Amino acid sequence: MSDLKTIRLVVNGREVERTVESRVHLADFLRKDLALTGTHLGCEHGVCGACTILVDGMSVRSCLMLAVQADGRRVETIEGVAPSEETLHPIQSALSRHHGLQCGFCTPGVVMTLLELQRESEGRPLDEHKIRAALSGNLCRCTGYQGIVDAALDLFGAETRPLAR
Amino acid sequence: MKAPAFTYHAPRTVAEAVSLLGRLDNARVLAGGQSLMPMLNLRIAAPDHLIDLGRVAGLTGIEDRGSVIAIGAMTTQRTLERSELVRNNIPLLAHAVDHVGHQQTRNRGTLGGSICHLDPSAELPVAAAALDAVLTVEGSTGRRRIPFTEFPAGYLTNALAPDEILVEIEFRKAGPRGGAAFMEFNRRPADFAVVSVAIEVCLGSRDHIERVAIAVGGIAFAPVRMTEIEAALAGRPFAAATLAEALGSFDSIDVDGDDIYPSDFRRELCGVLTERALKAAIQSAGGHA
């Protein structure tokens, strides 16, 4: 019954080859086959954004992409973002500084969205509207978003943002 | 939830995809997956075979062909969003894309997928209706062209034969005195539209409305062209009284509604959004409204 396919892809710079059932979506493949549980699953139908990862540099909902579709692609997840075990990525530091997370469930998706935004902006300052539009695809139930937006403005905004008191 | 079991196919050519569709029972075509994948995960759809067009050659790209722009069916919404060719020549399509989903879904979602899925609240079919888009489809008997207006066949149902796929969509270019606007009502930006209105206008030498195309989404299973309003406005200068009279047509058309947004509410939105969009379209063409 089950339709098995062998796929080869690069995940966080490491080449992997696995045989997967074709109905398995990419998020479950990352979490269960590769034990990369930093990618979270909220709604599993493309609404919440918790499972956002980068495929060939572009942010995607990994619950709306099959693992077989990632064959030959380059995948980046939250586990590959920080430069080392001890050092946070600047996006992670900014979220921490600005209280841009509380429970942390949505945070991996938020970080991956901001990573794409950072690369696409190529150093040009971004206004709050652009930042909010990019983040509109990531639901957060704790922060009310202001801390996340403040962190992004701190990183990419034209002016530096004071820390919320 | 997780998708039910299916057999996955990744053809490399249109001919291969068409042949698979012709010989497999209960097969579905997968484009960008931003509608079909949720339907699989929610088990609303349960195909035995999934034919992924993601690796088919020749289905992406935006090409200038003189009076029209041709767009490959598998071109992503994100590509449309960033295309100068689209923004300069088919401004209405560019405005519509600005309302579609989030960047994470636009990165995967395709123009052709949205056109074929025909979600009544989707933006791109409404723009296609206003722009008289022409679809090129390919099946076992070859290619044929279908005007968009003849494409919807029912709720979430298109006019493709079982072994046909959409290959390309053609849009006419806006003229030098052309203007466009896309407006919708929803609770939050990027949500599905409750009602959406797409307008393309062409102004004449006396600044009058030479031609106007108005399509409305969210009131029926497919976008509706407001031909009576178009005819009432064409050839006349923009005037509040003319517009008010023309908008009266909304009183007599059928408007589908639901418990949350009943038909009277949607009918009201039709008038409000059409008025706003028409003014914006005329202004974008350099006229006064």
Side-chain angles (χ1 to χ4, degrees):
Chain A
M1 180 71 199
S2 65
D3 179 42
L4 298 174
K5 302 271 188 256
T6 299
I7 57 171
R8 287 179 70 180
L9 62 159
V10 174
V11 180
N12 298 328
R14 197 167 51 92
E15 200 168 306
V16 294
E17 184 178 319
R18 291 285 191 286
T19 298
V20 291
E21 222 186 319
S22 55
R23 72 187 190 99
V24 171
H25 58 57
L26 189 48
D28 268 347
F29 171 74
L30 294 167
R31 291 176 55 84
K32 295 182 175 170
D33 292 63
L34 303 185
L36 296 173
T37 53
T39 298
H40 293 166
L41 275 167
C43 70
E44 264 190 313
H45 59 274
V47 175
C48 76
C51 69
T52 302
I53 60 167
L54 304 186
V55 175
D56 289 342
M58 287 186 303
S59 64
V60 304
R61 307 259 201 248
S62 57
C63 74
L64 297 190
M65 186 169 171
L66 297 167
V68 287
Q69 293 183 293
D71 185 29
R73 311 270 184 225
R74 188 169 47 86
V75 169
E76 294 167 81
T77 70
I78 188 68
E79 287 88 350
V81 170
S84 74
E85 292 265 322
E86 292 78 30
T87 325
L88 291 178
H89 185 278
I91 292 172
Q92 294 170 310
S93 305
L95 284 167
S96 163
R97 251 189 343 270
H98 288 274
H99 303 281
L101 68 154
Q102 186 177 312
C103 84
F105 190 87
C106 70
T107 312
V110 169
V111 171
M112 300 318 285
T113 294
L114 291 177
L115 193 59
E116 179 189 45
L117 191 66
Q118 179 184 40
R119 290 179 189 166
E120 287 181 356
S121 71
E122 294 173 332
R124 290 187 298 272
L126 297 171
D127 60 28
E128 185 166 339
H129 176 76
K130 280 220 168 65
I131 288 167
R132 284 186 181 272
L135 287 167
S136 69
N138 293 87
L139 296 186
C140 171
R141 302 288 78 157
C142 303
T143 63
Y145 302 102
Q146 195 56 50
I148 302 174
V149 172
D150 285 348
L153 279 168
D154 193 354
L155 289 165
F156 318 132
E159 300 158 26
T160 50
R161 193 81 168 174
L163 290 172
R165 268 183 290 275
Chain B
M1 293 214 317
K2 320 291 180 188
F6 50 76
T7 305
Y8 175 82
H9 305 266
R12 301 301 167 120
T13 63
V14 173
E16 214 182 309
V18 165
S19 139
L20 284 167
L21 271 175
R23 103 186 127 73
L24 299 172
D25 283 335
N26 193 20
R28 285 289 296 256
V29 169
L30 178 66
Q34 303 304 288
S35 299
L36 183 52
M37 280 295 296
M39 289 167 74
L40 289 168
N41 288 353
L42 293 166
R43 308 241 170 158
I44 297 168
D48 291 321
H49 298 274
L50 203 58
I51 300 171
D52 182 6
L53 300 184
R55 291 173 203 269
V56 172
L59 289 182
T60 58
I62 303 169
E63 200 181 302
D64 189 338
R65 293 198 190 139
S67 60
V68 299
I69 302 281
I71 303 178
M74 285 293 287
T75 305
T76 65
Q77 294 150 2
R78 201 80 200 283
T79 306
L80 299 182
E81 174 189 342
R82 292 166 166 184
S83 163
E84 290 288 313
L85 209 52
V86 169
R87 215 155 274 275
N88 293 336
N89 293 291
I90 334 167
L92 179 56
L93 186 63
H95 295 326
V97 169
D98 288 339
H99 292 271
V100 176
H102 307 281
Q103 72 183 46
Q104 301 91 340
T105 61
R106 290 194 299 273
N107 277 335
R108 301 272 310 158
T110 65
L111 172 63
S114 177
I115 298 279
C116 287
H117 183 55
L118 284 173
D119 189 305
S121 59
E123 288 87 357
L124 299 180
V126 183
L131 290 164
D132 297 309
V134 177
L135 316 180
T136 300
V137 306
E138 185 170 331
S140 55
T141 54
R143 290 192 170 200
R144 64 183 176 120
R145 286 159 65 84
I146 309 174
F148 178 81
T149 43
E150 294 170 21
F151 194 59
Y155 178 67
L156 296 181
T157 307
N158 60 47
L160 288 172
D163 68 345
E164 280 180 328
I165 63 166
L166 176 60
V167 172
E168 184 181 275
I169 303 101
E170 253 178 38
F171 296 92
R172 62 161 184 264
K173 287 184 184 175
R177 297 231 52 204
F182 190 98
M183 295 207 177
E184 67 179 37
F185 174 80
N186 51 19
R187 296 289 293 272
R188 296 169 302 189
D191 268 2
F192 285 111
V194 177
V195 171
S196 60
V197 174
I199 297 188
E200 193 194 40
V201 68
C202 182
L203 299 184
S205 51
R206 292 170 287 114
D207 253 15
H208 63 287
I209 298 169
E210 195 169 276
R211 192 173 52 76
V212 61
I214 304 172
V216 179
I219 60 169
F221 67 82
V224 181
R225 275 289 288 269
M226 305 310 303
T227 46
E228 273 184 40
I229 301 180
E230 293 173 10
L233 295 172
R236 304 172 74 170
F238 176 82
T242 320
L243 178 63
E245 198 188 315
L247 291 179
S249 297
F250 280 122
D251 295 339
S252 55
I253 60 161
D254 287 334
V255 173
D256 288 352
D258 53 33
D259 290 346
I260 306 169
Y261 300 107
S263 75
D264 284 353
F265 180 71
R266 289 178 195 252
R267 194 187 304 278
E268 181 78 18
L269 283 173
C270 287
V272 170
L273 292 171
T274 301
E275 180 170 349
R276 287 183 194 166
L278 183 67
K279 287 178 178 172
I282 290 172
Q283 282 160 6
S284 77
H288 299 287

